C-alpha cells in the first residue's frame, strides 16, 4: 500500500499540470548559467492590477475538479506598485509572492496558484522522501523523471543542480492538455530541507510552450520570494 501511494504522489503534480516542454529552454538557462535568472522581468510582467481582489476568491475549479480545503489561503499583503501579492499556504506553511491578478487556493497537502486564464499554473507540496521510497532530493527528482518518461515514452527531460542545492528538472515533448491550444513547458523545482535530507518542498510551474523562457524567469521570481517554514513537520502519510 505504501509503495502504491508513493507512486501516486510522484505522478500527481505531473498530471495536474499536463507536463510538456517546448523549444527555447537551453537559451533561457544560458541567461544565468546553472542559476535561475529573472532575465530582468518582475511581477509586473505577469500581474494585473486588481489590488489583490482575486486572492479573496473561495473554492476554485482546478483541472476539471474542485479543491476542497480545510482553510483558505491567507493573503498577507499586496504591493500595488510591484503588481504582486504575498500569500501563505497555511496547510503546508509556505509563503509565496505571486503576480497580482492570479488566484490561490489549497487543500490539506498542497498549495495551488494560477493566472486567471489558467495558462500559468503552479503547485507546491511538502515532500517526504522516505515515504516516496527515495533517499534524498536528487534521488526523488531522478525517480520522478524516470517514472514520467516510462509512463509517457515521448517525454524528454533535463536537469540542473542549482548552487543552493535545489534541483531543477524540465520536461519536454508531452502533448497539450484537453482544452489547451498548444503544448506546455513544465518545471519541477525540488528544494531540500537544509537540516533534514529526508524532506523537502516541490514547486511545479507549468506554462504554454511558447512562453517557456518567460516561465523560467517567473520560476526564478517565485523561488527568490518563497519562504519555507522548515520547523514545520508534515503529518506522516499512512
Amino acid at each position: 500500500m505504501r509503495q502504491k501511494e508513493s507512486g501516486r504522489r510522484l505522478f500527481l503534480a505531473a498530471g495536474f499540470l499536463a507536463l510538456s516542454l517546448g523549444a527555447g529552454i537551453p537559451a533561457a538557462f544560458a541567461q544565468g548559467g546553472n542559476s535561475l535568472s529573472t532575465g530582468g522581468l518582475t511581477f509586473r510582467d505577469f500581474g494585473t492590477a486588481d489590488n489583490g481582489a482575486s486572492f479573496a476568491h473561495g473554492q476554485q475549479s482546478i483541472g476539471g475538479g474542485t479543491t476542497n480545503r480545510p482553510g483558505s489561503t491567507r493573503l498577507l499583503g499586496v504591493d500595488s506598485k510591484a503588481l504582486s501579492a504575498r500569500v501563505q499556504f497555511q496547510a503546508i506553511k509556505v509563503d509565496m509572492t505571486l503576480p497580482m491578478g492570479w488566484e490561490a487556493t489549497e487543500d490539506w497537502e498542497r498549495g495551488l496558484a494560477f493566472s486567471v486564464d489558467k495558462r500559468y499554473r503552479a503547485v507546491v507540496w511538502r515532500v517526504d522522501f522516505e515515504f516516496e521510497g527515495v533517499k534524498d532530493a536528487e534521488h526523488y527528482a531522478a525517480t520522478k523523471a524516470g517514472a514520467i518518461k516510462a509512463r509517457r515514452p515521448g517525454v524528454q527531460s533535463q536537469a540542473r543542480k542549482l548552487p543552493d542545492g535545489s534541483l531543477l528538472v524540465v520536461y519536454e515533448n508531452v502533448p497539450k492538455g484537453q482544452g489547451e491550444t498548444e503544448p506546455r513547458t513544465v518545471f519541477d523545482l525540488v528544494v531540500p530541507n537544509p537540516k533534514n535530507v529526508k524532506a523537502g518542498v516541490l514547486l511545479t510551474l507549468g506554462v504554454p510552450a511558447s512562453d517557456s523562457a518567460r516561465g523560467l524567469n517567473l520560476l526564478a521570481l517565485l523561488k527568490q520570494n518563497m519562504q519555507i517554514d522548515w520547523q514545520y513537520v508534515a503529518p506522516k502519510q499512512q
Side-chain angles (χ1 to χ4, degrees):
M1 179 65 181
R2 181 187 180 100
Q3 184 176 3
K4 181 178 179 181
E5 178 70 7
S6 177
R8 181 188 72 85
R9 288 175 60 86
L10 280 171
F11 282 121
L12 274 174
F16 169 70
L17 289 165
L19 288 175
S20 65
L21 176 72
I25 293 304
F29 231 123
Q31 295 173 5
N34 281 338
S35 299
L36 280 175
S37 170
T38 65
L41 300 185
T42 70
F43 286 109
R44 292 189 64 86
D45 294 289
F46 303 95
T48 302
D50 73 349
N51 202 34
S54 62
F55 293 98
H57 293 181
Q59 288 188 336
Q60 302 295 336
S61 177
I62 307 291
T66 301
T67 60
N68 295 310
R69 50 186 175 149
S72 61
T73 300
R74 183 182 178 189
L75 178 62
L76 301 177
V78 299
D79 186 333
S80 297
K81 184 177 180 180
L83 286 190
S84 66
R86 188 77 176 166
V87 302
Q88 180 182 79
F89 294 117
Q90 298 181 86
I92 57 173
K93 300 297 186 292
V94 174
D95 296 358
M96 295 188 69
T97 299
L98 300 169
M100 190 179 292
W102 279 39
E103 298 176 17
T105 186
E106 64 185 275
D107 58 25
W108 65 273
E109 64 175 351
R110 61 183 176 174
L112 309 171
F114 47 93
S115 60
V116 66
D117 59 7
K118 307 294 196 298
R119 295 176 73 246
Y120 282 55
R121 304 193 292 272
V123 57
V124 58
W125 311 73
R126 290 279 178 166
V127 184
D128 181 335
F129 299 130
E130 185 177 23
F131 172 70
E132 300 293 351
V134 296
K135 61 182 180 180
D136 55 24
E138 192 166 353
H139 190 194
Y140 174 82
T143 300
K144 181 179 175 183
I148 290 171
K149 289 161 69 175
R151 186 180 182 184
R152 300 183 177 184
V155 172
Q156 297 178 9
S157 66
Q158 54 182 301
R160 297 286 191 280
K161 188 167 186 178
L162 304 180
D164 66 354
S166 58
L167 294 130
L168 174 64
V169 185
V170 185
Y171 299 94
E172 56 187 341
N173 296 334
V174 175
K176 62 187 177 184
Q178 184 177 1
E180 295 173 336
T181 60
E182 63 175 295
R184 295 178 61 76
T185 296
V186 172
F187 307 97
D188 263 2
L189 180 70
V190 187
V191 183
N193 185 329
K195 297 182 179 180
N196 179 6
V197 298
K198 296 182 179 181
V201 163
L202 170 65
L203 171 62
T204 302
L205 174 67
V207 304
S210 59
D211 286 354
S212 59
R214 283 171 54 86
L216 194 60
N217 298 146
L218 176 58
L219 185 69
L221 285 168
L222 296 177
K223 181 178 184 292
Q224 288 176 6
N225 291 277
M226 182 167 65
Q227 183 176 348
I228 303 167
D229 180 2
W230 291 119
Q231 299 301 316
Y232 171 76
V233 178
K236 285 289 184 181
Q237 303 298 314
Q238 300 298 320

